[in-house]
Structures are given as C-alpha cells and as structure tokens.
Amino acid sequence: MKVIVTGGTGYIGSHTIVDLIQHGFDVVCIDNLSRSSTYALAGIEKITGKTIPFYRIDLCDANATHDVLSAHQDAVGIIHFAALKSVPESVAAPLLYYKNNLESLVNILESIEKLGIPNFVFSSSCSVYGNADVLPVTENTPIKNAESPYAHTKQIGEDIIRNFSKRYPAQASILLRYFNPIGAHPSAHIGEIPIDKPNNLVPYITQTAIGKLEQLCVYGNDYNTRDGSCIRDYIHVCDIAHAHTLALQYLVNKRNDSNCEVFNLGSGIGVSVKEAIDAFEKVSLQKLNYVIGERRAGDVAAVYADNTNATTQLGWQCQYSLDDAMLSAWNWEKKMQELQL
Ligand code: WQD
C-alpha cells in the first residue's frame, strides 16, 4: 500500500517514513526543503535499503500540489507533517506561519477530496491546549488560547479538518497531538538537524555538551513543581513515528469510530528540566555546563499527557525510555559533528 508523506525530510517525517517502510508501506515523499535537506533521504535509504520517490514542491502552490497528488491518487492515505514549527519564529513572523501552515493544508484537503484519497493523518501538537489547568491532559481537555501563532495554526488546522470531515464523510482523518519529541533513530543515520541555534531543550543540551554552544540556561527554577524547573512529557521520536503507522493502519482497516479522531502522543510521564539534564549526564557520562536563568515567556509550569486513547484505540505502546532518547540524541549529535552537518 502507498502512502504520501509531506514534510518527509524533516525530523518526525523522516523517522515516520522509516517506520512505514519497515511495516510494508510504499512511501512517496514531498518536501520544499525550506527547513530540511535531502540528507534525510540518504539516511532513510541506509536504514531501509529503499530509495523513495521524492518531489521538491511547495504545498502552497495548489497546482503543483494537485499534480503530484494526482500522480499518486492510488495512495491509501496522506500523512501531513509539512509546516513551520518554531514558536519564537512564529511570534516574529505570524503571517508567514498563517499563510504557510494553513494554505498548504487547504491545498492538500482540496486535492484529497477531488482525488478520493481516503485517509489523512495530521501532525498536530500539545501546544493546542495552551496553558492547561488540569493534568494529565486528555483529548477532552478544554482548548485554551494558543500561546503562539504557531500553536494557533495547529488549532485552526484542526478546526479546518473537523469541518472538512463533516462535509466529506468519505474521507477519514486523525489528528495526532505530539508532546515533546526528542532523540534520534538508534542507527544515528537520521535525526533532528536544527537550522541555526536550536529552540528546544534536548538539542540545546547536546550542542552544549559537544561544545557547539557555550552553556545551557535553565529557564527558571522557581516554578511550583517538585524541583522548581518546568515539567514536560518527553517522547522518543521513534515512538511518535510508529504511532503514525498505527494511525494509518487503524484508518485503512476501518477501525475508527468517526471520520475525525484525536490522539495525544506523549509518554504520560512528566519530567523536569533538571531530571532531563540528569538523565543526559547519566547516559552520556558528560558533565553539562548549565546555569539557572530567568523564566522564558510563554512557558507553562507543567504539561504531560494522558495517552490512554492512543494505547487502547491504536494499540500504541512506548518502546523507548527517557534514557534511550537522551543516549540516541547524544549519539546523533556526535554523528553530526563527524559528518559536519
Ligand atoms: C522544554 C523545557 C523550557 C531550552 C515546544 C513547542 C511545542 C512543541 C514541543 C511542536 C521548557 C526548557 C528549553 C533551553 C530550558 N513543539 N528549556 N533551556 O516549549 O515545551 O514545547 O516543543 O509542536 O509547540 O513549544 O519545548 O524544548 O522549548 O522546552 O530550560 O535552552 O525546557 O523552559 O520548560 P516546549 P522546549
């Protein structure tokens, strides 16, 4: 069975393509390479032995999008990762984010409906919850104001898909809300290649440890948490990837209860920044150079998932621990240094 993956040369997209291939899918990859490179395709080939069809197109170009999807209208589904995802960048350039993330989504949905491609899996985010009052967060936790234009594009994207699903019952969609994806494929052939300075904690940790960055700043230790630092739900990128394969199989096998379902993808375990640093130091045998600094605007004290729906409905079980993720992130950082990526 064929599946089209947009944003497939990106971090989660490339890991998902590996998992799809390893579970018997033929994959077609679309990406505009604005935030990634074809290096990921070489890594996918090293791991799977497969060279996959790749189309470098901008999904904001409706004609180019329709041409490619028409050429693969026999696909059983589309997994849509392609989007800009930097929170600070979205604050600096909100219109870029609204235009890019939403126009591309509408173009894809228009083609899906015209071509009759039956299944759609959407890359959403825990950031749609905003500053949740109750923990752990379930899929029914009330959606609050988004903390950034990026998160708002995910909220609007979900609403677009919900209304699309009401209008076109022949199409079935799943919205996957990622918590904090971290780590890299155990082979170290693929991983996250940050553009410029990283925004997220784990690449910051590994770049500090390898000497690319001088020091890690822990953004606040005066939160109302067990050790004062923020708590998040860190989830290995390979566990996130496999959830996409399970979600597509769930739709292909028509196990879905409705034609638009939502799933949290988190480990269900809250981990503080200090605990994440301790885990890194333990597995890497590196002492991390960090200081405690001021809080970062927009950070919530704690957020972690209730992943019951994904485990019961999709049959998803996290295979990797925080230590596995930290070690794979460190091995990938060393590989990027070796390859001068
Ligand atoms: C994690 C924790 C920081 C860097 C982001 C996006 C969200 C989603 C997941 C896409 C926080 C602390 C970080 C540093 C630090 N992405 N930190 N020093 O903010 O939870 O979520 O990634 O969907 O949309 O917002 O992740 O990795 O930036 O921060 O102390 O140098 O690490 O304060 O508590 P975040 P993060």
Side-chain angles (χ1 to χ4, degrees):
M1 290 184 287
K2 180 190 287 182
V3 57
I4 298 164
V5 177
T6 77
T9 58
Y11 175 41
I12 303 173
S14 56
H15 286 80
T16 299
I17 288 177
V18 166
D19 196 86
L20 287 163
I21 291 170
Q22 290 176 337
H23 287 82
F25 286 93
D26 294 321
V27 178
V28 172
C29 177
I30 295 174
D31 205 297
N32 68 359
L33 302 181
S34 67
R35 290 297 193 282
S36 60
S37 79
T38 53
Y39 175 82
L41 298 174
I44 289 165
E45 186 171 346
K46 283 197 190 100
I47 298 167
T48 65
K50 296 265 184 169
T51 305
I52 59 173
F54 170 65
Y55 296 83
R56 180 178 185 175
I57 62 156
D58 186 341
L59 295 169
C60 291
D61 176 339
N63 292 331
T65 299
H66 194 68
D67 289 348
V68 173
L69 298 191
S70 302
H72 296 283
Q73 57 186 292
D74 57 327
V76 294
I78 294 182
I79 303 180
H80 180 45
F81 292 100
L84 297 175
K85 60 147 191 161
S86 163
V87 168
E89 184 185 41
S90 77
V91 173
L95 298 182
L96 169 68
Y97 271 64
Y98 288 117
K99 183 176 175 61
N100 182 77
N101 290 4
L102 300 178
E103 192 170 346
S104 52
L105 173 61
V106 171
N107 287 343
I108 290 169
L109 294 176
E110 278 182 335
S111 291
I112 280 181
E113 192 278 320
K114 282 185 197 132
L115 299 168
I117 296 175
N119 301 302
F120 183 65
V121 178
F122 178 65
S123 169
S124 189
S125 165
C126 65
S127 54
V128 302
Y129 294 109
N131 195 345
D133 299 321
V134 179
L135 296 175
V137 169
T138 74
E139 290 82 356
N140 299 317
T141 295
I143 301 294
K144 299 178 71 177
N145 286 342
E147 300 281 329
S148 67
Y150 158 77
H152 195 204
T153 68
K154 291 300 183 183
Q155 288 179 340
I156 299 169
E158 289 194 359
D159 288 341
I160 290 171
I161 297 162
R162 276 189 202 91
N163 287 315
F164 171 83
S165 304
K166 284 180 195 141
R167 173 65 184 79
Y168 300 107
Q171 263 71 36
S173 296
I174 281 184
L175 314 175
L176 297 178
R177 293 175 178 165
Y178 316 149
F179 281 69
N180 289 55
I182 62 170
H185 192 271
S187 68
H189 287 316
I190 53 175
E192 185 175 16
I193 304 178
I195 308 276
D196 305 326
K197 277 179 79 172
N199 297 318
N200 297 124
L201 176 66
V202 173
Y204 233 108
I205 288 175
T206 57
Q207 287 197 16
T208 300
I210 207 154
K212 266 187 192 170
L213 295 174
E214 182 62 32
Q215 184 175 59
L216 170 77
C217 175
V218 173
Y219 297 140
N221 69 345
D222 58 350
Y223 286 94
N224 182 21
T225 61
R226 52 182 174 267
D227 64 17
S229 64
C230 290
I231 288 174
R232 293 291 184 274
D233 184 330
Y234 298 101
I235 175 93
H236 197 292
V237 65
C238 290
D239 279 325
I240 294 267
H242 188 51
H244 289 76
T245 303
L246 293 173
L248 186 62
Q249 290 169 334
Y250 177 80
L251 293 180
V252 166
N253 296 325
K254 301 195 181 307
R255 298 203 320 268
N256 49 309
D257 303 324
S258 83
N259 75 328
C260 188
E261 295 185 25
V262 189
F263 296 96
N264 282 341
L265 294 187
S267 67
I269 301 164
V271 169
S272 76
V273 175
K274 286 179 184 170
E275 289 162 350
I277 292 170
D278 291 347
F280 174 79
E281 291 183 330
K282 179 177 69 175
V283 299
S284 67
L285 307 177
Q286 304 289 313
K287 188 83 187 82
L288 195 70
N289 176 15
Y290 70 90
V291 287
I292 305 294
E294 292 305 306
R295 294 184 175 192
R296 178 175 67 175
D299 273 339
V300 299
V303 61
Y304 52 92
D306 175 325
N307 61 14
T308 309
N309 280 355
T311 53
T312 54
Q313 295 285 97
L314 302 181
W316 181 61
Q317 291 296 334
C318 289
Q319 303 298 315
Y320 296 89
S321 67
L322 176 68
D323 289 358
D324 295 330
M326 286 299 183
L327 183 57
S328 66
W330 179 231
N331 289 337
W332 171 244
E333 188 64 60
K334 290 187 286 185
K335 184 67 171 289
M336 281 196 284
Q337 184 180 64
E338 180 193 315
L339 297 172
Q340 293 177 346
L341 279 177

